[in-house]
Amino acid sequence: MKNSNLSERIEETFIENNNTPLSYNELVNELHLVRKEKSLLAETLQAMLAEGILTKKNRKFRLAVSPELIKKEANEKVTHPRLLEGIFDATPLARDLSYAFVRTEQGDFYVNAEDTLNAYHNDVVVIEPHFRKGKPDYAIVRKIIQRANETMTGDIRESGIRTFFISINPKIHNWIEVSELNGAKEGDKVVLQVTNWGNPLMGKMPVGKVIEILGPSGDPEVELLAVIRQYNLPLQFPDTVLAEMEEIEETVSDQELAHRLDLRNILTFTIDPASAKDFDDAISLEKLNQGWRLYVHIADVAHYVKPESATFSEAVKRGNSFYFPKKVIPMLPEKLSNKVCSLRPNEDKLAMSVITDFNLQGKILRQRLEESVIKSDFRLNYDQVDKFFQRQNTDFPQNLSETLSSARKLSSLLTAKRLKDGYIFFDLPELEYEYDEEGFLKRFTLAEETESHKLIENFMLVANECIATKLSQLAPTTIYRIHEDPDWEKIERLIELLSYYGINFYERETLNASIQYLLHSLPTPEHHKVFEPIILRSMKKAKYSTEHIRHFGLGMETYTHFTSPIRRLCDLVIHHLCKTYILKTSKIQFDYNQLKHFAFIASEQELQADQSERDIEHYFSMTYMKKFIGESFSGIVISAKNDRLIIRLDQIPINAVLMITEFPSGKWIFLDRQMRFVNEDNKDYFQLMDKVLVNIMEVSDDIYLELKPGKKSHQHFQFQPFNKNSFSNDKKIRKNRRGKKRFDIDYKYRNKNYGNSNERNRGKR
């Protein structure tokens, strides 16, 4: 690892000498190095060569770029025109793969492990980008600009006479040697400060020192605190934000009521989880002679949070709310999120209302947006509404019952329309976690997407699409929620994998329709359990962007997020754009670069929220499963990697791993494209859909299995042999279409995104 101060002195020396090539000894003289500094010079020069700062020829060094450009970068803080800044993604490295990615505003670049310098997950780096046909291809990391994890939380592990730190973030792909324990011991959860990032090319590990002991590993409070500290999540709001909260009135003034559409006399209700406290959307529905009038009321957060405020700046930093067991880290202070803006029953609230008229077939006739004042009459939860739909709950008053019945009918029409337009629905029940009073996980359950969830989702989609369409027409720039078309190479590989398991992929009129048909044609629940996640992974992840790109999964040409301004940055920004360009009640404007920055932050923080929530849930899952060590389970093979099978247990809906070292004896070969292991000695095999009987052998960073002793521990999945001639003919058809139609994966048709039914993720698509 180079010394940053010495590196700067070396650069200054070359600049002062007009980049004249200098040898090692000449640099020693020019820098007037003392003896202890000489030992760092060779290492620093090697690191600067690796980073592309220096070049070397005939044993002499010089700057890789001109001194004039370096001066310009130092004075104006600009980057080299051939270089790009981005976020380093070490996910593949953490999975023992030989590459990583860098996410930039121009797209994602592949980086070979040898070209990563000593970058770690989420570091801000400068890359030398390479494009292919105008699209991002691969890159070389040239410089680390900012470390994302100068402090980390994790566990102390002793190995012989050395002590190591293992981060709780699985994407920190290396162990770190501990130079100063400061009282910590094995079994402690600590905060570590990295003092030296190491040098992979020279075989040097990163080094750090313990700066805080959080407590014993295994304590739920300590584990949650560790995740919060790992992601640098703020536990408190700055004093400037709290001061602004003191100035906010909790009641609606007569002056504000005067210029708003008064909808307080219309029957209005919210539907949320039973535990929810922030209600940012409410529904009203009126029956018309030839259809319905739907009101989607969204809390008017933008009325209280202006762009020039400290509260808005803090919301930009946080990007979204974070949800953990028994703890929420909100994007906005509680006074706003749970009180002033929350659409609580029997309270006058300011709202932004999308009003849509439908005919009896569910076709949209007209839409408009209004600044309104509402009063929610009922605070409903999903279970209550589902029981009503199942005729198990008849306690609702007549007017609410009639409205819910109408809403159900309209929602059914909207579902049919969305499927026709290309909405891709994945039937993947989400894991829900139930915790005991001490915070420990006590039960896993599968959360199905019920009819009440679909109803709210359908109505939110109507509002989101309406606002996106209007802003795309009226605003110079806006933020879209986009979901890019899948890469054709991934679709072809998916088709090939499915073929090995007797599943045909039929080309329909659009790619959306083809995937819909594929999902619908999976013959058994086991097929859905195994292949739906694989199909889902063949697609891209939805994100925020100022580019007007269609939403493939939703089947929509134009889409955004408008309906959750209490917990999402994008929605708050969109509300301000609505007031300026649609309602013309505000003069607030954001320029293109601001909106691009907001979109980038919202996307990055969404990834942070997903990962931090997964981290704490993973820890609690591992803790819960430790009590089953030695017990037997049945399961099904749902995936395979080069050294393991992924097994979904039947009795507890969780994934575990069977390592290749636990396979029966023999020479096992992994066939990557088939997700199949074959024993060359006796032609035995493991593949997707196989049933296994296993014992839980170990629970540490994952759940490790061993095959249950006995001949019947492994049952092969049987399927009808696939017609290879038919498949090859299909391939010829697709080959001929390349460059022409190739499924028309351009912008002719659009589709719906996949999300999950968990409420905190509602609208994630």
Side-chain angles (χ1 to χ4, degrees):
M1 175 67 185
K2 72 175 188 292
N3 180 284
S4 58
N5 182 50
L6 182 56
S7 174
E8 292 171 4
R9 290 168 61 191
I10 292 170
E11 287 190 30
E12 290 170 1
T13 298
F14 280 112
I15 291 171
E16 291 169 359
N17 287 277
N18 296 317
N19 209 18
T20 301
L22 298 172
S23 68
Y24 172 84
N25 289 328
E26 288 170 335
L27 280 168
V28 170
N29 294 329
E30 288 285 340
L31 294 166
H32 306 291
L33 296 181
V34 297
R35 180 175 297 176
K36 66 177 182 179
E37 289 179 311
K38 287 183 182 181
S39 62
L40 287 174
L41 179 59
E43 181 180 341
T44 302
L45 290 172
Q46 288 300 317
M48 293 177 74
L49 284 170
E51 293 181 23
I53 299 171
L54 298 179
T55 61
K56 184 179 180 182
K57 185 177 181 180
N58 297 329
R59 296 188 178 184
K60 292 200 173 187
F61 303 88
R62 65 183 299 174
L63 293 171
V65 295
S66 69
E68 290 75 19
L69 182 58
I70 292 177
K71 290 177 184 177
K72 185 178 181 182
E73 289 182 356
N75 295 332
E76 302 179 16
K77 295 183 179 179
V78 300
T79 57
H80 191 285
R82 289 185 61 248
L83 302 181
L84 277 180
E85 187 176 301
I87 305 294
F88 188 77
D89 186 343
T91 303
L93 291 176
R95 295 174 179 167
D96 295 326
L97 300 174
S98 59
Y99 61 91
F101 291 101
V102 173
R103 301 191 302 272
T104 76
E105 293 184 357
Q106 293 192 27
D108 295 350
F109 291 84
Y110 169 95
V111 184
N112 189 288
E114 296 178 352
D115 297 325
T116 61
L117 292 183
N118 57 0
Y120 283 83
H121 192 64
N122 278 341
D123 284 353
V124 180
V125 299
V126 170
I127 60 171
E128 178 187 312
H130 294 264
F131 297 85
R132 184 179 182 184
K133 297 181 180 179
K135 294 185 177 181
D137 189 11
Y138 73 94
I140 299 170
V141 177
R142 290 302 186 192
K143 192 173 185 180
I144 289 91
I145 292 185
Q146 182 179 346
R147 294 290 183 181
N149 302 285
E150 290 185 346
T151 61
M152 306 179 195
T153 58
D155 298 286
I156 296 297
R157 177 77 58 86
E158 294 178 358
S159 179
I161 61 172
R162 303 172 72 185
T163 305
F164 297 96
F165 168 88
I166 305 172
S167 173
I168 65 167
N169 183 355
K171 296 188 179 182
I172 301 300
H173 57 282
N174 287 328
W175 288 15
I176 299 173
E177 189 166 3
V178 181
S179 60
E180 299 178 38
L181 280 167
N182 292 324
K185 60 186 182 300
E186 188 169 35
D188 284 343
K189 189 75 69 176
V190 302
V191 179
L192 185 95
Q193 183 178 55
V194 181
T195 56
N196 188 314
W197 288 97
N199 189 328
L201 295 178
M202 300 180 70
K204 294 192 175 183
M205 292 183 68
V207 179
K209 63 181 180 180
V210 174
I211 59 173
E212 185 180 354
I213 301 172
L214 298 178
S217 295
D219 183 291
E221 296 285 339
V222 173
E223 296 297 336
L224 178 55
L225 178 61
V227 170
I228 292 171
R229 295 290 296 275
Q230 175 64 41
Y231 288 92
N232 295 315
L233 304 181
L235 290 171
Q236 296 179 329
F237 284 93
D239 291 340
T240 51
V241 173
L242 298 178
E244 289 179 350
M245 293 301 101
E246 295 293 328
E247 302 298 320
I248 291 178
E249 295 291 336
E250 294 192 27
T251 57
V252 180
S253 68
D254 292 338
Q255 182 181 1
E256 185 60 35
L257 288 174
H259 71 270
R260 286 183 176 258
L261 179 63
D262 193 340
L263 299 175
R264 288 175 290 181
N265 292 326
I266 298 177
L267 178 69
T268 301
F269 54 89
T270 60
I271 305 178
D272 291 279
S275 60
K277 294 180 180 178
D278 53 341
F279 313 127
D280 46 18
D281 58 85
I283 300 298
S284 302
L285 187 68
E286 294 179 319
K287 189 75 174 70
L288 305 178
N289 289 334
Q290 296 298 318
W292 299 272
R293 177 167 292 163
L294 172 68
Y295 300 80
V296 176
H297 312 290
I298 307 300
D300 190 355
V301 180
H303 174 79
Y304 300 97
V305 184
K306 306 297 184 185
E308 66 273 10
S309 68
T311 306
F312 185 88
S313 297
E314 185 68 15
V316 172
K317 289 180 184 177
R318 296 179 180 225
N320 45 237
S321 297
F322 293 76
Y323 296 86
F324 299 109
K326 296 189 174 183
K327 187 170 189 64
V328 176
I329 299 179
M331 184 179 79
L332 299 173
E334 184 178 348
K335 183 173 182 179
L336 288 176
S337 59
N338 291 358
K339 295 179 181 178
V340 175
C341 293
S342 185
L343 305 182
R344 303 190 298 187
N346 304 313
E347 296 179 8
D348 291 350
K349 297 292 182 180
L350 302 182
M352 301 274 277
S353 298
V354 176
I355 305 171
T356 307
D357 288 351
F358 296 90
N359 66 13
L360 292 173
Q361 288 72 47
K363 180 181 178 181
I364 294 175
L365 302 177
R366 63 192 68 86
Q367 290 182 296
R368 72 182 195 272
L369 174 67
E370 296 280 358
E371 288 181 323
S372 63
V373 57
I374 69 166
K375 181 184 285 186
S376 176
D377 299 286
F378 299 98
R379 180 259 192 270
L380 306 178
N381 64 57
Y382 289 117
D383 289 340
Q384 287 176 305
V385 177
D386 285 323
K387 287 179 180 178
F388 171 78
F389 289 156
Q390 296 160 9
R391 299 187 179 182
Q392 298 177 19
N393 183 353
T394 57
D395 295 336
F396 292 156
Q398 184 177 352
N399 59 349
L400 177 60
S401 297
E402 291 174 353
T403 302
L404 284 173
S405 296
S406 293
R408 185 186 192 188
K409 186 173 182 179
L410 176 58
S411 176
S412 177
L413 293 170
L414 293 176
T415 296
K417 179 181 181 299
R418 300 228 174 272
L419 290 172
K420 184 179 178 181
D421 290 344
Y423 176 109
I424 299 176
F425 174 69
F426 286 90
D427 187 15
L428 292 171
E430 264 224 341
L431 273 180
E432 280 194 346
Y433 302 86
E434 295 181 29
Y435 302 91
D436 61 24
E437 291 302 316
E438 296 181 356
F440 285 101
L441 181 67
K442 67 176 183 179
R443 188 181 297 113
F444 292 105
T445 56
L446 288 176
E448 303 280 349
E449 185 174 83
T450 65
E451 194 170 0
S452 63
H453 286 88
K454 291 176 183 176
L455 182 147
I456 290 298
E457 181 185 41
N458 279 330
F459 293 170
M460 297 305 114
L461 289 172
V462 168
N464 285 333
E465 186 178 25
C466 168
I467 296 304
T469 302
K470 289 183 181 296
L471 285 177
S472 70
Q473 297 166 349
L474 299 173
T477 309
T478 185
I479 297 176
Y480 299 95
R481 179 67 168 178
I482 68 170
H483 183 220
E484 296 172 281
D485 294 329
D487 290 329
W488 182 247
E489 290 75 14
K490 285 190 175 182
I491 295 297
E492 286 189 318
R493 185 159 182 177
L494 171 67
I495 293 170
E496 181 182 358
L497 173 67
L498 294 173
S499 74
Y500 293 119
Y501 293 90
I503 301 171
N504 291 313
F505 184 94
Y506 295 98
E507 293 189 14
R508 316 294 286 187
E509 61 275 13
T510 67
L511 180 56
N512 293 71
S514 300
I515 293 174
Q516 279 182 328
Y517 187 83
L518 171 64
L519 292 168
H520 182 71
S521 66
L522 294 175
T524 68
E526 287 78 13
H527 281 81
H528 282 275
K529 183 186 295 187
V530 172
F531 291 106
E532 280 203 34
I534 293 172
I535 296 168
L536 179 60
R537 288 195 297 270
S538 70
M539 299 185 185
K540 296 184 178 180
K541 183 174 175 58
K543 62 182 180 180
Y544 299 102
S545 176
T546 53
E547 294 184 69
H548 190 173
I549 297 173
R550 74 178 178 118
H551 198 298
F552 174 78
L554 284 170
M556 292 184 182
E557 297 289 335
T558 308
Y559 189 64
T560 193
H561 275 168
F562 163 81
T563 53
S564 294
I566 288 177
R567 58 188 177 92
R568 288 192 305 227
L569 173 63
C570 172
D571 307 53
L572 176 56
V573 172
I574 289 293
H575 276 232
H576 280 295
L577 295 177
C578 287
K579 288 176 179 286
T580 300
Y581 297 105
I582 299 176
L583 299 169
K584 302 190 185 304
T585 57
S586 169
K587 294 185 179 179
I588 291 171
Q589 292 188 340
F590 301 111
D591 62 33
Y592 172 78
N593 288 329
Q594 283 178 300
L595 291 175
K596 193 172 183 180
H597 175 66
F598 294 152
F600 185 72
I601 290 294
S603 296
E604 287 298 309
Q605 289 301 98
E606 180 181 42
L607 293 175
Q608 284 277 78
D610 288 346
Q611 187 58 53
S612 61
E613 290 163 20
R614 279 197 299 268
D615 282 356
I616 195 63
E617 288 171 352
H618 176 77
Y619 164 74
F620 284 123
S621 299
M622 296 303 101
T623 302
Y624 175 76
M625 293 302 294
K626 284 180 180 178
K627 62 185 176 183
F628 297 107
I629 291 175
E631 294 195 19
S632 299
F633 294 86
S634 60
I636 185 172
V637 178
I638 64 168
S639 186
K641 298 180 180 178
N642 63 342
D643 64 344
R644 68 190 65 189
L645 294 170
I646 311 299
I647 311 293
R648 181 74 160 188
L649 302 182
D650 295 329
Q651 294 83 352
I652 302 175
I654 196 168
N655 296 344
V657 298
L658 180 67
M659 303 298 294
I660 192 172
T661 52
E662 298 301 321
F663 288 10
S665 60
K667 185 177 181 181
W668 290 92
I669 304 298
F670 180 56
L671 305 178
D672 178 40
R673 304 185 81 85
Q674 302 177 28
M675 285 196 182
R676 177 184 284 135
F677 283 94
V678 177
N679 189 329
E680 285 196 338
D681 295 339
N682 58 17
K683 305 306 178 186
D684 192 10
Y685 60 90
F686 286 98
Q687 64 180 9
L688 300 181
M689 300 283 293
D690 280 0
K691 302 289 184 67
V692 293
L693 294 176
V694 293
N695 295 330
I696 294 183
M697 182 176 63
E698 176 191 345
V699 178
S700 51
D701 60 319
D702 216 323
I703 303 165
Y704 294 96
L705 307 172
E706 62 181 358
L707 288 171
K708 189 174 181 180
K711 293 183 179 180
K712 295 185 178 180
S713 65
H714 179 204
Q715 179 183 346
H716 293 306
F717 164 64
Q718 301 296 325
F719 57 88
Q720 293 296 321
F722 183 75
N723 187 333
K724 293 184 178 179
N725 293 327
S726 171
F727 180 62
S728 62
N729 289 337
D730 286 347
K731 287 185 75 172
K732 288 177 184 176
I733 293 171
R734 286 197 300 279
K735 212 172 205 180
N736 293 336
R737 291 182 177 181
R738 287 180 187 167
K740 291 187 176 181
K741 278 189 176 180
R742 207 168 95 177
F743 247 158
D744 277 348
I745 294 189
D746 36 75
Y747 300 102
K748 249 168 123 181
Y749 41 82
R750 320 307 189 183
N751 225 353
K752 150 172 179 146
N753 180 3
Y754 34 85
N756 49 57
S757 59
N758 192 313
E759 171 58 19
R760 70 167 177 256
N761 292 322
R762 189 181 70 192
K764 210 167 233 195
R765 22 194 122 168

